[in-house]
Each structure stands twice: as C-alpha cells, then as structure tokens.
Amino acid sequence: MYAAFYSGMRDMKTKLIEAKDRLGGRMLFYPEKMIWDVGGVTPILCENLIRQLEEQARTFEPTLVFEQQIEGLDRQGDGTFLLTTACGEKHWTRTVIMAIGYGIYKMAKLELEGADRYEVTNLHYTVQELEPFRDKHVLISGGGDSAVDWANELEALAKSVTVVHRREKFGGLERNVLRMRESSVDVRTPYAVDKLHSISGDRIEQVTISHVETGESEMLEVDAIIVNHGMKSDFGPILDWGLNMGEWHANVSEKLETNIPGVFAAGDFVIYGSKLHLIAGTFTDAALAVNSAKLYMDPEADKVAYVSSHNSRFKEKNKALGVVE
C-alpha cells in the first residue's frame, strides 16, 4: 500500500494487484492488535492502521485489482513484462514490485489428534475481537510476537492468562516480553500442549501441558485456547520465476533489486544486509523499491521523490484541504 502511494509521488502509473478481496495482507489476521512501533503514529488498532494505509494508497488513484493471484511472469520482446493470473487475466507492465510477504498465508495448526473439531468453539488461531475472552481462563500456546502481544492485551480482560512455550526465550520484542513477565500472566517454559480434554464433547475444558525436557505433565482448566505457532507460507509458481531465493526470503540488493532486471521487491518477502523486520521498515523498503523502478525506466530521473512539502503532486491536494501555501 505504501509503495502504491509513493509510486504516485514519483508520478508513475500504478496498478496494485491483490490476491485477496481486500488490502491488508498479514495484518488482517490481527485486526484488534495494538500497533505501537510506527513512527509518528500513537498506539493504533491494526484494523485502523490498515484503513489509514489504504486511504493513503488511494491518494493518486492507482488501479486496484482484487482476487487475482499472479502466477506467471514473462519478459516480452520489447522488455516489458506479461503477468498472468490464476484466473487467466493478463497484465502488462514495465516494472514489477513484489510486496507479497510470505506468499499465501496459512496458520500453523495445533498438531494434536482431533484438535480441528474445536475450531468452531474455543480453539482459536487468531483473535478478531477481545471481548469474547472477558473473564475467561485463556491459554496461549506460542512464543512469537503475536503470542506475547495477545497475552499483554488479554491480561487485564481475562480471568487468567497462561502462556505455554517450548523454549525459554521468546521471539517478541524485548519490552513486550518484559511487560508480560512482570504482569499476572502465568508463563510456562519450556512446556508444550500435549493433550486436549473435553467433557462436553464440543469444547475443550482441560489441557495437559508437558515439560519438553523432563516429560513432567500438568493439567490446566481452560475456557479458551489461542494457538500462535506462526504461519506456513506458500509462494506457489513464483518459485519457478528464477528469483534468487533463500529459505524464506528473496535475496535483494540494498536498492531492493532482485536478480531479474526490472523486478524489485519489498517488505517481509526480502532479505538484505540492513533489513529491518518491522512495519516501519517496510515503508523504507517500499520507497527504495519504487525509486529503483523509476530509475530503471528513466535513468535520468531524480533518485528520490521530493518531500511532500515541495512535491508538485500535492499542490492541488493541499488546496483541496484548504492549505494556503
């Protein structure tokens, strides 16, 4: 979304193609999660950040295409690219910026026999609303950012919060991990969820957790379980394009160039020497990728866009806002 906005600042004709039916990518999994680390933005609900990013992305009226997953990339005789979608639609372009995260996301499931039967009741892989967990005994399985964040969000709302993680070290931001450990959250490490128990047959009432080293087990009463074991990703046919790929990321230059001339990438999809894996870092990635795409098409162009206060693209828009320059 930010790449679409910044592309407009560079006066480039822009088309944003999205596989889902709405914008937001991975953030759509956590609409009620509070985002604290975007520069100049006070703590904001993820769903509100998505809304603001989408509004910004539409500033220069890019073409938006939804529910089309790109499968084919073919360079034409004139140097342009033909993009082919899974539904057969075709798109032509001079450059491509890949901001695809980890591809098609699927939540990593709890690998216990019969666990899937509780997904319609009290086994959750994401949290759309906080209120249903009020005054409940909540167990969270996982140790990444999301597990830590949900523990902190629910600590004051739920009757109790227990976090079970198979390693001593958590993958969340240090300050958030410290906040969790200093709160009333019951942190159990190194433990893993071993068994689910149901008396009613349709809900989980108890959980057995086991120490991963000693095997010692304990049974806990629960009203709800949240599983945050990360995501499984699928890049699909993109892996056949000839990109220089690592295990999880595309290897790019500091200018966000892939090994395919004219194809650039940004965000969670990429890795390079100074890569910052934060939402704030993706904004820089997006701008760098757009600048590189601009220079690829026009080597004589300015290397970067003028700041908004000096960018001619905003003169009329400022007038519409009643700003006198």
Side-chain angles (χ1 to χ4, degrees), residues 172-191:
L173 295 174
E174 293 93 334
R175 183 65 189 88
N176 293 340
V177 173
L178 180 62
R179 175 186 167 196
M180 177 185 69
R181 289 189 179 278
E182 291 180 344
S183 71
S184 64
V185 174
D186 183 10
V187 178
R188 302 295 189 94
T189 59
Y191 276 84

Side-chain angles (χ1 to χ4, degrees), residues 34-277:
M34 292 299 296
I35 307 297
W36 288 74
D37 54 1
V38 176
V41 178
T42 54
I44 183 173
L45 279 175
C46 191
E47 62 183 353
N48 291 337
L49 180 60
I50 294 172
R51 177 180 54 77
Q52 292 182 189
L53 283 168
E54 180 172 352
E55 182 179 343
Q56 184 184 48
R58 293 176 180 269
T59 301
F60 298 106
E61 300 179 349
T63 299
L64 301 181
V65 178
F66 294 98
E67 297 184 277
Q68 291 192 24
Q69 182 180 351
I70 300 297
E71 291 193 338
L73 172 77
D74 298 290
R75 190 183 296 277
Q76 306 300 289
D78 60 359
T80 60
F81 294 99
L82 170 63
L83 299 175
T84 307
T85 70
C87 61
E89 292 290 325
K90 299 181 185 300
H91 303 272
W92 284 265
T93 182
R94 295 175 65 189
T95 61
V96 177
I97 296 177
M98 302 177 68
I100 61 172
Y102 294 100
I104 301 299
Y105 297 110
K106 293 181 180 179
M107 290 288 189
K109 296 295 188 77
L110 185 63
E111 296 181 353
L112 293 178
E113 185 178 354
D116 56 342
R117 77 180 69 165
Y118 304 113
E119 292 178 15
V120 296
T121 53
N122 62 339
L123 175 62
H124 310 271
Y125 290 99
T126 186
V127 177
Q128 299 294 320
E129 298 179 56
L130 296 175
E131 190 59 31
F133 298 94
R134 181 179 294 278
D135 298 325
K136 301 289 181 64
H137 294 290
V138 181
L139 183 143
I140 300 174
S141 178
D145 278 311
S146 295
V148 173
D149 289 345
W150 286 128
N152 288 329
E153 293 289 337
L154 292 170
E155 187 260 342
L157 185 74
K159 182 173 293 185
S160 70
V161 177
T162 302
V163 174
V164 176
H165 183 38
R166 61 173 45 256
R167 288 180 286 277
E168 296 286 353
K169 184 176 177 58
F170 283 84
L173 295 174
E174 293 93 334
R175 183 65 189 88
N176 293 340
V177 173
L178 180 62
R179 175 186 167 196
M180 177 185 69
R181 289 189 179 278
E182 291 180 344
S183 71
S184 64
V185 174
D186 183 10
V187 178
R188 302 295 189 94
T189 59
Y191 276 84
V193 176
D194 195 35
K195 294 180 182 178
L196 307 176
H197 306 279
S198 175
I199 299 172
S200 64
D202 62 350
R203 299 179 63 84
I204 304 166
E205 281 96 18
Q206 297 173 320
V207 170
T208 297
I209 63 172
S210 300
H211 195 284
V212 298
E213 296 173 357
T214 67
E216 180 183 358
S217 63
E218 180 179 351
M219 187 174 290
L220 304 177
E221 303 289 331
V222 298
D223 297 309
I225 297 178
I226 302 172
V227 177
N228 289 132
H229 291 177
M231 297 184 183
K232 294 181 178 179
S233 63
D234 181 7
F235 292 120
I238 286 174
L239 295 179
D240 299 326
W241 291 4
L243 291 164
N244 180 0
M245 295 286 298
E247 184 176 1
W248 300 107
H249 307 90
N251 296 306
V252 297
S253 72
E254 296 287 335
K255 295 181 180 180
L256 282 299
E257 303 159 312
T258 72
N259 59 302
I260 301 176
V263 178
F264 308 88
D268 286 338
F269 180 55
V270 307
I271 192 71
Y272 56 94
S274 57
K275 171 65 181 174
L276 178 63
H277 287 283

Side-chain angles (χ1 to χ4, degrees), residues 4-55:
F5 166 74
Y6 195 80
S7 179
M9 288 184 67
R10 297 306 317 259
D11 201 21
M12 298 164 70
K13 185 178 180 180
T14 307
K15 179 183 287 187
L16 194 162
I17 304 174
E18 169 59 47
K20 296 184 180 295
D21 60 359
R22 59 172 296 193
L23 299 175
R26 185 175 179 177
M27 293 189 294
L28 293 172
F29 285 107
Y30 313 110
E32 290 208 5
K33 183 176 177 180
M34 292 299 296
I35 307 297
W36 288 74
D37 54 1
V38 176
V41 178
T42 54
I44 183 173
L45 279 175
C46 191
E47 62 183 353
N48 291 337
L49 180 60
I50 294 172
R51 177 180 54 77
Q52 292 182 189
L53 283 168
E54 180 172 352
E55 182 179 343

